[in-house]
Amino acid sequence: MKKSFFLVLMTAFLGMNAEAQNKYIVKTKGASKTISQQMEALDEDENEEQDIISRNFVFSDLCSWQEGMRFMVVPEKKDLIIKTFTDSLTGNMVSSNLLKYNIMVYKGHDKVEGLHEHINFLCEDDGKTYYYEIPSYSFDDYCYSRQGVPTLAYLGDVDKAIELFKDKKLRTKASTYYVDSDPENNGVDLITDVPVGTEVTVKAIGVGTRNYPVKIIVADRRGREFFQNVAISRVNSGMRDEEFSTIQEIPHTFKGCFELVNDNMADNKEYGEYRGKVVYTLQRTDMTDSHKLRVRMARLSVFTITDIQKMPNSKYVRLTLTGTGSGSKYYKLVTMESEENVTWDEDMDAPREDVYSNIFADGDPSKYPGIRKKNYMDIQKGIVRKGFTEQEVKLALGEPDVKGNDKNGVFTYTYNSTASQSRSEVFFDTATKTVLRVVK
């Protein structure tokens, strides 16, 4: 009975552990699991590739690690003999095989009795705390070495690679790649028949090894899948600066194995000023969400432009926008040309909405002086109420067609009839500069 209960308990634990890790454990087609995360393919030119790598994969030596950095235990054969981690509660060293594929969260370091210092971790999978005991000298001395913490593959690079490269088109640069042959025992076969310059699509990204933590699975046009494990930021990889500086010649680096396909997309220099810009919508407009569904956005909705790409053989660019409140991602096709330079199709419903400057303006209007949060929903709908400030009226209705002079402590804004609004006259108290009444 006890044995049966133990088996059930172990099965449940292993099942939970596998479920927690499966997005990081990926195999070539026909071998095992694949991750489910997806993003739209984003083609970049060579200059943009350099910017993507430098912006998103920043080296951080052990001295600069921040609490919360995540790593996966990926032991090699020697790590199964030499134990890496100690259970903080019991003081007993733990087999790396028992911690295999567990996720360790960095929790800083401390000095304990004796000569050694501890580098501390919280395991996401079992909730326990562990430490790595620094051999023979202090953390300050040890952290500047390239030794790092054995067995740990940096998941920050894996997560960022999934975000940036999943479904992307690449070209091969190395002479050798791998396919999974024995998923249960992590067996792989070396392949040498992939021509340099083969166009491939990224099918999955997961964890590789400690030294080369990002496993990138690609497929050629025939659907044949193969992979390479690469170092990108080299955090905890043990690679020296001089090794990484010859990056184009090293097969186990991103730029040593792959290059991003130049598919006539935007030159970073041309549109770089827009990336990272906070903008808001000047009118209601349709966008596409991450599920490729059309969504109608209210006017004065605020976004950050996270990417901009030129569409091939077209006057359009595609904006990737992130909602500042929701964090949701949206896409919008626009032309960056001025309205005067665009030839419009007369059959189009509202073609001028395609012009960037007609849709977006810089900034976050909810943070403008004189704009109060309680009135923002009315302002978005173009509604003005008693007590609104001048700034709130202008944000709701725009600049008035006529500004009336002060008469007996009252001045007016007059808005003439347009396709979107009827004629209205707004009366302000001169002393408080707030709305007394609105006459339509």
Side-chain angles (χ1 to χ4, degrees):
M1 180 67 181
K2 289 184 179 179
K3 184 176 181 181
S4 299
F5 176 75
F6 176 77
L7 288 174
V8 171
L9 184 62
M10 284 300 296
T11 302
F13 173 77
L14 291 173
M16 291 173 62
N17 186 55
E19 183 178 356
Q21 312 308 336
N22 65 1
K23 85 169 193 174
Y24 292 113
I25 309 304
V26 296
K27 304 290 181 180
T28 48
K29 186 169 60 178
S32 186
K33 319 166 197 174
T34 57
I35 61 175
S36 60
Q37 288 152 300
Q38 296 181 349
M39 64 179 289
E40 292 191 15
L42 307 177
D43 295 310
E44 309 283 350
D45 63 12
E46 187 174 349
N47 291 332
E48 179 64 7
E49 175 186 343
Q50 296 170 358
D51 292 339
I52 282 178
I53 298 299
S54 63
R55 284 202 313 265
N56 294 285
F57 299 93
V58 180
F59 173 65
S60 176
D61 59 28
L62 179 56
C63 306
S64 305
W65 283 12
Q66 301 294 314
E67 290 196 27
M69 292 175 68
R70 299 168 73 244
F71 301 83
M72 179 175 283
V73 179
V74 187
E76 299 177 0
K77 288 183 179 179
K78 61 179 174 47
D79 300 315
L80 301 179
I81 300 173
I82 304 172
K83 298 176 181 179
T84 299
F85 296 100
T86 300
D87 186 316
S88 300
L89 185 62
T90 65
N92 296 325
M93 297 195 74
V94 181
S95 166
S96 295
N97 195 46
L98 293 176
L99 294 173
K100 185 177 181 180
Y101 298 151
N102 278 214
I103 294 176
M104 295 290 192
V105 182
Y106 176 63
K107 303 300 289 184
H109 64 93
D110 55 29
K111 191 169 186 177
V112 294
E113 293 183 7
L115 298 177
H116 302 305
E117 294 188 42
H118 292 171
I119 301 175
N120 302 311
F121 297 91
L122 171 67
C123 180
E124 284 188 359
D125 300 273
D126 61 17
K128 295 181 179 180
T129 56
Y130 297 86
Y131 64 82
Y132 170 67
E133 188 170 278
I134 298 172
S136 73
Y137 47 102
S138 73
F139 177 84
D140 290 338
D141 293 329
Y142 184 82
C143 71
Y144 285 108
S145 71
R146 285 290 178 266
Q147 297 180 64
V149 180
T151 77
L152 293 185
Y154 180 46
L155 293 181
D157 280 1
V158 181
D159 291 331
K160 183 56 67 172
I162 291 171
E163 176 187 338
L164 295 176
F165 301 134
K166 180 67 172 68
D167 292 335
K168 202 154 195 159
K169 294 187 183 302
L170 308 174
R171 286 195 183 94
T172 60
K173 296 180 68 177
S175 57
T176 59
Y177 292 90
Y178 299 88
V179 294
D180 293 298
S181 58
D182 182 4
E184 296 300 324
N185 297 301
N186 291 323
V188 298
D189 288 335
L190 178 72
I191 60 173
T192 59
D193 59 345
V194 179
V196 173
T198 299
E199 185 172 306
V200 294
T201 302
V202 177
K203 306 302 292 185
I205 297 176
V207 73
T209 66
R210 178 213 166 170
N211 288 343
Y212 312 117
V214 184
K215 179 178 181 178
I216 301 178
I217 297 177
V218 298
D220 61 20
R221 291 179 177 177
R222 296 177 299 170
R224 179 195 187 191
E225 292 189 1
F226 47 92
F227 75 88
Q228 187 63 277
N229 294 326
V230 300
I232 309 184
S233 75
R234 80 182 195 279
V235 171
N236 202 51
S237 71
M239 296 183 72
R240 298 188 302 272
D241 292 342
E242 59 269 24
E243 291 178 313
F244 212 71
S245 64
T246 56
I247 191 167
Q248 295 287 4
E249 301 175 6
I250 299 177
H252 286 286
T253 59
F254 181 85
K255 290 173 66 179
C257 297
F258 303 105
E259 65 179 354
L260 298 162
V261 173
N262 180 357
D263 194 16
N264 297 317
M265 298 317 246
D267 184 341
N268 185 58
K269 293 180 181 178
E270 183 178 359
Y271 295 117
E273 64 181 282
Y274 292 95
R275 292 183 176 91
K277 180 177 286 190
V278 176
V279 297
Y280 66 93
T281 52
L282 294 168
Q283 56 184 301
R284 293 200 304 168
T285 188
D286 288 338
M287 295 184 185
T288 303
D289 66 13
S290 57
H291 302 291
K292 299 184 178 180
L293 299 176
R294 181 174 293 183
V295 181
R296 174 58 62 93
M297 295 296 171
R299 63 185 294 269
L300 307 183
S301 296
V302 183
F303 302 91
T304 298
I305 299 176
T306 52
D307 202 4
I308 179 170
Q309 303 155 350
K310 189 175 182 181
M311 306 306 292
N313 305 314
S314 171
K315 66 176 181 286
Y316 290 101
V317 298
R318 183 179 67 175
L319 302 177
T320 302
L321 306 115
T322 302
T324 56
S326 65
S328 300
K329 186 174 290 187
Y330 302 95
Y331 304 91
K332 178 72 177 177
L333 290 179
V334 298
T335 177
M336 308 304 287
E337 299 179 32
S338 64
E339 188 172 333
E340 294 78 18
N341 296 332
V342 178
T343 302
W344 299 108
D345 184 346
E346 293 181 357
D347 295 332
M348 293 180 70
D349 182 26
R352 285 169 177 78
E353 182 181 328
D354 292 344
V355 177
Y356 173 88
S357 59
N358 289 344
I359 308 171
F360 298 103
D362 293 350
D364 182 348
S366 67
K367 297 180 180 179
Y368 289 175
I371 306 301
R372 292 166 292 183
K373 185 176 181 180
K374 66 178 182 179
N375 295 330
Y376 200 71
M377 289 187 65
D378 282 337
I379 294 171
Q380 284 185 300
K381 299 173 185 177
I383 298 173
V384 171
R385 301 186 188 278
K386 182 179 178 180
F388 272 29
T389 64
E390 278 189 277
Q391 294 88 344
E392 289 172 331
V393 172
K394 288 181 180 180
L395 192 57
L397 303 178
E399 288 290 335
D401 296 299
V402 179
K403 289 185 178 181
N405 295 326
D406 178 20
K407 293 182 180 179
N408 299 321
V410 176
F411 67 95
T412 60
Y413 281 2
T414 300
Y415 294 88
N416 295 326
S417 298
T418 65
S420 60
Q421 67 181 36
S422 59
R423 186 181 187 278
S424 59
E425 192 167 13
V426 183
F427 292 81
F428 292 89
D429 184 311
T430 303
T432 64
K433 298 192 184 308
T434 57
V435 174
L436 293 170
R437 63 184 183 278
V438 180
V439 177
K440 296 185 178 180

